[in-house]
């Protein structure tokens, strides 16, 4: 029997026809987990990490799952702003320097990003949501994510740029040309069709799959302060410095993983490893005539339990558009109002409870050095990763 | 400057100006809600001007509550021997617009308040069918056919004093020189048979946030007395065991607020200047008239317990225990993480011990391993023992003892993180509950209408009452999804796709308790703003609206 492979997020099938592509994805994810394990071992000692590679572990422990939920709208924008300001800010692109050029990305940092389509009067007619990590797309284009340098023995996958172009045409616009998606001859995650004109996959620098795996790994380490085990999610993220503490997602994910680890279990992320759209709650949304809205939510990519792309759009037969819908009497003027009703999820797993408790370690002090030189497509975007170790180690060899 | 327990010095509250029900609570056995509509504006302003000096400020209400507490501690139960009667007033956005202007109301940073409860009912999960009893079209007060501009709340320890004051106030406001008309009157009383319990039979009003703030320049003139020995590591964050301190700007506009977590909340975030400026020291008040169908609730409990008790893992599940699993406390108030198998009336009678528990850490704060030491210099409230010798709380992250869907856990997950991040975020979602039962107890008049006049104060209806209702109570997977579960006590079936409580037995196996039936039906209410007394006097009654 062939060794099991890490499955693509949402069990997407785009890799299937590309030689060695699924093996390359498996190698990538295996590397992410290996790194996560090494990071944890630096804290607790070799062989004592509680994070593990649940796909390749032998023998396979029996696992229990824990679903972790967070809100899809950026909490960092809500804090300190009025609601309306936050909704506006969520639509203003960030600019930053990357590899000698200025690129833009969305400020939407809860692993959910969106793009609204409006008609000539400015009314919203559709909102596309994605939670696909950039690594999947750079891998589909070239075989491996930009942040991964395959070694000599790595599966010789080369990706399929044409497949990328086809998907953009299908989901963003039929007008997409291959050239539009390239920078210096390579697939450019910051291309206009993914930023200004649409949303094919995640772009915020914190929204990466690798960051998710590192966060889980870092959070698997038990922490203590003054000899007392830390159990509080806020204290944990302050102590261990994983993720961005003011987001909804990172403290929740980290705290939940740490909670699993505190049961003395091996912990990991459920297959297929990814971040998913859990649900949209339209309670109290009304049509122009005041009656409740119908179901205008279409899942476009991923599996029913692991949704990675969805669209909110009123069918033409209804005779009105998204912008005519009211939420508790407030018209939908910003796509963020839809995002606020979206719950995101990922699933943690735990096995062999009680058998792996590593002793808690003290809090991280000061800023951690990078574990290895960066081999990303550009320079790391330091300022965006303040307070965040998991997001700063954008490095894979 | 630092305060007694090491944190920042707490702000001095405008105790003579803030209306007392918000921060101190009337805490009366008898209370009356008079819902009003403005008729002739000039007349209404004149009668309101005569009411203004009679409004009860925080200082009075607080002082009386303290006296009452001291006497009760010393003498035990003292029904009828000490009495005061309080009056407060609050306005809906339409009421404020009538008394000031639309432009003034437009400045409030709370869409929910501006649109009003009836417009938000669907979002709260109320029925969308206009024929249904819970639809605003059928509400007795606050619906499109029964619009409301103001509510006057009168509370008293004595039913006679209450009656006299209500007659007086109502004739002042709705008599020939009143300018208001009555839309609905609601008398409320504590249950004579079970004081402090709501109609399903559970003790209510145990858990409230502790409010930071002082009444004078004295460093320790705290509004909320501090009962923890200063050496205890919890003393800086808790006023009583299990009662976390929250900066007052989370309840009253224009005061210091909670920090953005995980920043340390010993320091406040600076106050946000309120809009309009005269909203300072005011508080938003939500009132929901919730009819309770006692027969439906007990019928469901009995039938369902009988079914569930035959499932392996839930053998012997009694109706009482199922009801407790739905509420998260036993009828006495004893919490499930301290009394998992049966009610513990002694525990329920001790207000401190009954609220001293967490879900992730047994005592609600990591790094603590026992109950806090209490000060010996201050008399403890009636029924509170100086040392907590009750069964210790047990950590329950997975919801084996207290289900994730239990009412009290759904609406206040305490030390457990949520879909918004770590538990400190939850302190920015808390509300000050001031509800009272209405209607006779079920046993004496089974066919009468009864329920809870749910009332709560907060600085943002959107971020507090509405957030709790829409994002947590009504959603199956929030605040936690492992395993999650609906709040069967109050969630409405129009809102929840899954009105399903998940019970986890001792082996970790999950059992679903699903129903479409409901026993709590909204029948009225409103979103109000309770301004500072000076704002009522100087702004709302002014002949020309503020510029
Ligand atoms: C008829 C409807 C309701 C009934 C019968 C009811 C009953 C109860 C009971 C018995 C408790 C336990 C006592 C305590 O912890 O203080 C409680 C707690 C609580 N209830 Fe309700 N309740 C109702 C509606 C609501 C509503 C509509 C809300 C807000 C949206 C709400 C918010 C709370 C909160 C915040 C707590 C305290 C939880 C804690 O801090 O642990 N309740 N309720």
């Amino acid at each position: 029997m062939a060794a099991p492979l890490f499955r693509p997020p949402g069990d997407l099938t785009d890799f299937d026809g590309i030689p060695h592509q699924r093996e390359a994805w498996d190698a990538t994810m295996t590397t992410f987990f290996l790194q996560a394990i090494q990071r944890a071992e630096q804290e607790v000692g070799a062989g004592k990490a509680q994070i593990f590679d649940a796909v390749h572990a032998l023998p396979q422990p029996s696992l229990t799952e824990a679903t972790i939920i967070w809100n899809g709208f950026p909490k960092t924008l809500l804090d300190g702003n009025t609601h309306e300001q936050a909704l506006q800010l969520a639509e203003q692109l960030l600019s930053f320097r990357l590899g000698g050029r200025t690129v833009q990305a969305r400020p939407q940092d809860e692993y959910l990003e969106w793009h609204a389509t409006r008609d000539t009067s400015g009314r919203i007619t559709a909102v596309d949501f994605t939670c696909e990590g950039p690594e999947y797309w750079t891998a589909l284009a070239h075989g491996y994510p930009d942040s991964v340098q395959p070694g000599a023995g790595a599966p010789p996958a080369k990706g399929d740029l044409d497949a990328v172009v086809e998907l953009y045409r299908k989901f963003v616009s039929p007008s997409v040309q291959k050239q539009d998606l390239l920078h210096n001859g390579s697939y450019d995650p910051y291309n206009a069709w993914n930023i200004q004109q649409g949303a094919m996959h995640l772009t915020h620098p914190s929204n990466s799959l690798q960051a998710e795996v590192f966060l889980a790994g870092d959070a698997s380490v038990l922490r203590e302060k003054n000899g007392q085990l830390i159990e509080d999610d806020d204290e944990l993220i302050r102590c261990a410095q994983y993720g961005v503490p003011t987001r909804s997602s990172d403290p929740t994910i980290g705290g939940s993983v740490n909670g699993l680890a505190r049961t003395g279990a091996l912990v990991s992320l459920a297959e297929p490893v990814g971040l998913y759209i859990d649900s949209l709650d339209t309670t109290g949304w009304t049509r122009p005539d005041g009656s409740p809205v119908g179901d205008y939510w279409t899942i476009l990519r991923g599996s029913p339990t692991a949704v990675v792309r969805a669209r909110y759009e009123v069918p033409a037969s209804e005779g009105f558009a998204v912008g005519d819908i009211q939420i508790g009497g407030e018209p939908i003027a910003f796509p963020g109002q839809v995002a606020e009703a979206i719950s995101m999820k990922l699933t943690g797993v735990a096995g062999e409870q009680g058998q792996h408790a590593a002793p808690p370690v003290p809090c991280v002090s000061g800023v951690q050095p990078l574990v290895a030189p960066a081999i990303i497509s550009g320079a790391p975007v330091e300022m965006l990763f303040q307070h965040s170790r998991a997001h700063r180690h954008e490095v894979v060899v | 400057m630092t305060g007694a327990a090491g944190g920042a010095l707490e702000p001095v509250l405008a105790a003579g100006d803030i209306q007392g029900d918000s921060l101190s609570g009337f805490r009366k056995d008898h209370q009356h809600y008079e819902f009003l509509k403005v008729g002739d504006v000039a007349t209404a302003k004149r009668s309101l001007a005569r009411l203004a000096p009679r409004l009860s400020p925080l200082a009075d209400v607080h002082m009386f509550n303290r006296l009452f507490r001291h006497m009760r501690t010393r003498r035990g139960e003292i029904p009828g021997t000490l009495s005061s009667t309080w009056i407060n007033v609050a306005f809906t956005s339409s009421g404020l617009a009538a008394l000031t202007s639309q432009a003034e109301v437009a400045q409030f940073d709370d869409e929910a308040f501006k649109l009003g409860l009836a417009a938000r009912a669907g979002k709260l999960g109320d029925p969308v069918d206009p024929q249904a009893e819970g639809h605003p079209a059928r509400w007795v007060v606050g619906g499109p056919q029964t619009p409301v501009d103001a509510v006057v709340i009168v509370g008293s320890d004595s039913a006679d004093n209450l009656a006299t004051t209500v007659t007086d106030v109502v004739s002042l406001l709705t008599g020939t020189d009143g300018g208001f008309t009555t839309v609905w009157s609601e008398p409320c009383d504590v249950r004579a048979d079970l004081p402090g319990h709501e109609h399903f039979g559970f003790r209510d009003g145990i858990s409230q946030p502790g409010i930071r703030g002082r009444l004078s320049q004295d460093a320790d003139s705290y509004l909320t007395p501090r009962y923890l020995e200063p050496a205890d590591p919890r003393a800086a964050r808790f006023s009583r065991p299990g009662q976390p301190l929250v900066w007052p700007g989370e309840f009253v506009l224009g005061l210091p607020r909670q920090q953005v977590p995980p920043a340390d909340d010993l320091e406040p975030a600076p106050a946000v200047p309120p809009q309009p400026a005269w909203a300072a020291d005011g508080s938003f008040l939500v009132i929901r008239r919730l009819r309770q169908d006692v027969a439906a609730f007990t019928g469901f409990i009995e039938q369902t317990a009988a079914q569930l008790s035959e499932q392996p893992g839930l053998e012997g599940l009694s109706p009482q225990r199922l009801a407790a699993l739905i509420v998260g406390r036993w009828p006495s108030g004893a919490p499930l993480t301290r009394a998992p198998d049966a009610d513990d009336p002694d525990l329920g009678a001790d207000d401190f011990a009954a609220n001293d528990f967490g879900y992730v850490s047994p005592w609600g704060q990591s790094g603590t391993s026992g109950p806090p030491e209490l000060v010996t210099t201050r008399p403890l409230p009636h029924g509170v023992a100086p040392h907590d010798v009750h069964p210790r709380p047990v950590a329950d992250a997975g919801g084996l003892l207290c289900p994730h869907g239990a009412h009290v856990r759904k609406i206040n997950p305490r030390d457990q993180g949520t879909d918004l991040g770590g538990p400190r975020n939850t302190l920015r979602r808390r509300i000050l509950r001031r509800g009272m039962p209405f209607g006779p107890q079920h046993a004496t008049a089974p066919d009468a209408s009864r329920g809870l006049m749910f009332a709560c104060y907060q600085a943002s209806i959107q971020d507090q009452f509405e957030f709790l209702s829409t994002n947590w109570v009504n959603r199956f997977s929030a605040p936690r999804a492992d395993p999650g579960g609906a709040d069967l006590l109050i969630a409405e079936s129009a809102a929840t796709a899954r009105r399903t409580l998940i019970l986890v037995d001792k082996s970790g196996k999950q059992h679903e308790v699903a129903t479409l039936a409901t026993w709590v039906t909204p029948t009225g209410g409103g979103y109000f703003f309770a301004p500072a007394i000076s704002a009522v006097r100087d702004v709302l009654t002014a002949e020309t609206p503020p510029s």
Side-chain angles (χ1 to χ4, degrees), chain A residues 72-93:
Chain A
F73 188 84
K75 179 168 167 293
T76 47
L77 300 181
L78 285 167
D79 288 331
N81 292 308
T82 67
H83 187 223
E84 173 140 1
Q85 284 167 342
L87 291 168
Q88 273 165 2
L89 285 170
E91 303 311 310
Q92 289 170 17
L93 297 177

Side-chain angles (χ1 to χ4, degrees), chain B residues 418-506:
Chain B
T418 72
D419 56 334
L420 290 187
R424 272 179 210 163
N425 291 286
T426 302
L427 295 179
R428 303 195 299 166
R429 305 287 173 179
R430 303 242 15 213
I431 50 179
L432 301 171
R433 286 179 300 137
R434 304 291 182 233
M436 288 274 291
F438 68 89
Q441 66 218 46
H442 183 252
T444 55
D447 296 331
S449 179
R450 67 179 53 73
L452 181 70
M453 269 315 258
F454 175 85
C456 71
Y457 289 92
Q458 58 256 290
S460 164
I461 294 177
Q462 244 170 227
D463 294 344
Q464 289 161 283
F465 170 76
E466 280 201 348
F467 174 85
L468 294 173
S469 307
T470 60
N471 289 45
W472 286 357
V473 167
N474 286 346
R475 285 188 190 158
F476 179 87
S477 298
R480 299 291 301 182
D482 54 344
D487 178 342
L488 287 195
L489 190 70
I490 65 167
E492 299 181 74
S493 42
T496 28
R498 289 179 77 189
R499 223 176 106 72
T500 306
L501 177 72
I502 305 288
L503 301 181
V504 188
D505 69 25
K506 290 197 169 94

Side-chain angles (χ1 to χ4, degrees), chain A residues 253-284:
Chain A
I253 299 169
S256 300
V257 169
N258 192 267
L260 295 175
R262 292 199 301 271
T263 68
L266 289 176
V267 299
S268 194
L269 300 172
E271 271 281 83
V273 174
L275 301 135
Y276 300 108
I277 296 169
D278 176 63
S279 54
L280 169 73
D281 178 0
T282 60
T283 307

Side-chain angles (χ1 to χ4, degrees), chain B residues 304 308 311 314 476 498 500-503 510-514:
Chain B
T304 310
L308 290 173
Q311 294 184 12
L314 296 179
F476 179 87
R498 289 179 77 189
T500 306
L501 177 72
I502 305 288
L503 301 181
Q510 295 181 12
H511 305 260
E512 292 198 354
V513 186

Side-chain angles (χ1 to χ4, degrees), chain B residues 196-209 242 286 288 290-292 327-331 333 354-355 357 359 407-414 429-433 451-456 464-470 473 487 489-490 519-521:
Chain B
H197 291 57
E198 50 71 47
H199 282 297
F200 293 147
F202 290 82
R203 215 184 130 209
D204 201 358
I206 303 164
S207 175
Q208 300 275 16
V286 172
R288 291 267 273 172
L290 300 171
R291 192 174 70 73
Q292 291 176 262
V327 173
R329 291 184 183 272
W330 294 92
N355 205 31
F357 63 96
Y359 296 115
H407 175 58
V408 301
R409 184 163 187 170
K410 198 75 174 159
I411 204 141
N412 180 12
R414 296 185 177 231
R429 305 287 173 179
R430 303 242 15 213
I431 50 179
L432 301 171
R433 286 179 300 137
L452 181 70
M453 269 315 258
F454 175 85
C456 71
Q464 289 161 283
F465 170 76
E466 280 201 348
F467 174 85
L468 294 173
S469 307
T470 60
V473 167
D487 178 342
L489 190 70
I490 65 167
W519 20 85
V520 171
T521 307

Side-chain angles (χ1 to χ4, degrees), chain B residues 234-482:
Chain B
R234 281 159 284 195
R237 288 178 205 287
F238 289 83
S239 34
R240 304 168 161 204
Q243 182 178 66
L245 284 158
V246 177
W247 290 93
E250 299 298 324
F251 308 108
V252 168
L253 271 55
L255 293 170
R257 306 194 66 153
Q258 290 293 110
Q259 292 265 17
V260 174
D264 199 333
D265 49 16
L266 290 182
E267 297 286 330
V272 187
Q275 296 284 349
W278 55 264
D281 290 324
S283 178
F284 289 106
L285 165 64
V286 172
I287 299 182
R288 291 267 273 172
R289 185 180 188 274
L290 300 171
R291 192 174 70 73
Q292 291 176 262
D293 187 339
V294 175
F297 181 68
T298 46
F300 168 81
I301 294 294
E302 273 161 25
Q303 206 182 356
T304 310
Q307 287 162 8
L308 290 173
S309 63
E310 288 173 9
Q311 294 184 12
L314 296 179
E315 293 90 348
L317 180 78
S318 66
Q320 293 74 12
R321 179 136 185 275
L322 178 59
L325 289 165
I326 288 174
V327 173
R329 291 184 183 272
W330 294 92
S332 75
L336 288 169
T337 63
R338 300 193 71 163
D341 300 320
D343 199 354
D344 181 342
D346 290 342
L347 170 59
D350 184 325
D351 277 355
F352 283 14
N355 205 31
D356 198 8
F357 63 96
Y359 296 115
V360 172
S361 306
W363 299 96
Q365 182 160 319
S366 30
T368 54
S369 55
E373 286 295 317
L374 302 179
V375 292
T376 50
T377 46
R378 181 191 299 285
L380 298 172
H382 183 67
V384 171
H387 299 286
D388 179 347
V389 293
H390 298 280
R392 300 186 144 232
V394 175
D396 185 34
L400 273 67
L401 306 179
C402 179
H404 284 169
H407 175 58
V408 301
R409 184 163 187 170
K410 198 75 174 159
I411 204 141
N412 180 12
R414 296 185 177 231
D415 59 336
Q416 189 158 37
T418 72
D419 56 334
L420 290 187
R424 272 179 210 163
N425 291 286
T426 302
L427 295 179
R428 303 195 299 166
R429 305 287 173 179
R430 303 242 15 213
I431 50 179
L432 301 171
R433 286 179 300 137
R434 304 291 182 233
M436 288 274 291
F438 68 89
Q441 66 218 46
H442 183 252
T444 55
D447 296 331
S449 179
R450 67 179 53 73
L452 181 70
M453 269 315 258
F454 175 85
C456 71
Y457 289 92
Q458 58 256 290
S460 164
I461 294 177
Q462 244 170 227
D463 294 344
Q464 289 161 283
F465 170 76
E466 280 201 348
F467 174 85
L468 294 173
S469 307
T470 60
N471 289 45
W472 286 357
V473 167
N474 286 346
R475 285 188 190 158
F476 179 87
S477 298
R480 299 291 301 182
D482 54 344

